[in-house]
Amino acid sequence: MFFISNVQAQLPIKIVDGKLIRDDGTFGKFQTQKYTPLVDSLNKSLKLNPKDTTSLFIRSTLYLFSNDVQSKPNQREKGTLENLILAKDMVENAVSYGMQDIRLKILRAQIYRELVYRFTGDESWMFDSKQTAVRRKQFNRYKELVNKYYQELALSDSSRAYDYNKLKVTYVYPL
């Protein structure tokens, strides 16, 4: 008997409407178990060489994609926000190590956009005024950065400028 399997060395992604999306043939939610071997391999690679920009890029992409599955509306729960912050740090490291790929720039803007989204709910019942002020400051900083990164993308990739401009954040902190 012969078995045919599809093995890919890279995470299959493509750019659609100014965002990175999975291009692995599956529709619907991200299946974390499908990518467990890749995640393990990337984690080992990053332990051995923390400056490997390709591993940083792919691992942060997986953090972003897994965010679709791990959405937890209660902001105090561990998981989603922490993973997005890890992804943000990995992307920033890849940028600081000199990676120039357009997909990395899109990923960075997309992660910051997701971070902004994590602060858009009405959290008045959950946080006191001091915590709310800290969260408002984080929201505004992430919003400023996402808009800056999408503006840079619009200038450098004029064929997708309309898509990038549509993705800019316009809402304000709700409290």
Side-chain angles (χ1 to χ4, degrees):
M1 286 190 175
F2 293 99
F3 292 101
I4 299 173
S5 65
N6 186 7
V7 178
Q8 297 174 336
Q10 295 289 330
L11 180 65
I13 57 175
K14 64 181 177 179
I15 302 169
V16 175
D17 297 332
K19 293 194 266 184
L20 293 181
I21 63 165
R22 286 176 291 115
D23 189 23
D24 60 359
T26 61
F27 299 101
K29 72 175 192 165
F30 181 77
Q31 299 169 355
T32 51
Q33 69 277 6
K34 180 178 179 177
Y35 293 99
T36 302
L38 178 59
V39 168
D40 292 343
S41 174
L42 290 168
N43 290 341
K44 288 177 188 174
S45 173
L46 287 169
K47 280 184 183 178
L48 294 173
N49 184 7
K51 294 183 179 185
D52 180 2
T53 57
T54 303
S55 294
L56 287 167
F57 170 74
I58 295 170
R59 186 64 181 107
S60 58
T61 304
L62 288 169
Y63 273 127
L64 177 67
F65 291 160
S66 68
N67 181 47
D68 294 341
V69 198
Q70 295 181 340
S71 178
K72 297 179 181 177
N74 185 348
Q75 295 293 332
R76 290 188 205 172
E77 287 185 39
K78 298 288 182 194
T80 306
L81 183 61
E82 290 77 12
N83 286 343
L84 284 172
I85 291 171
L86 284 172
K88 170 189 72 78
D89 293 342
M90 287 180 169
V91 164
E92 293 298 344
N93 284 341
V95 169
S96 71
Y97 298 143
M99 188 172 183
Q100 296 292 320
D101 194 329
I102 186 74
R103 296 173 305 160
L104 177 70
K105 295 174 182 179
I106 294 170
L107 178 64
R108 179 168 63 169
Q110 199 170 339
I111 288 170
Y112 277 98
R113 191 170 199 278
E114 287 295 318
L115 283 166
V116 167
Y117 180 73
R118 295 295 297 164
F119 292 93
T120 58
D122 180 6
E123 304 159 342
S124 58
W125 60 274
M126 195 181 316
F127 300 107
D128 62 29
S129 60
K130 190 181 284 186
Q131 292 170 317
T132 301
V134 168
R135 292 180 66 79
R136 180 182 299 112
K137 186 176 179 181
Q138 287 176 315
F139 171 89
N140 289 331
R141 180 67 182 141
Y142 291 150
K143 178 181 173 181
E144 176 185 315
L145 288 171
V146 72
N147 289 337
K148 172 187 168 194
Y149 295 145
Y150 277 128
Q151 182 61 36
E152 290 173 2
L153 282 164
L155 293 173
S156 67
D157 185 11
S158 59
S159 65
R160 293 188 186 102
Y162 177 77
D163 295 330
Y164 299 135
N165 285 321
K166 276 189 356 184
L167 292 170
K168 288 183 179 177
V169 175
T170 58
Y171 35 88
V172 296
Y173 192 71
L175 303 177

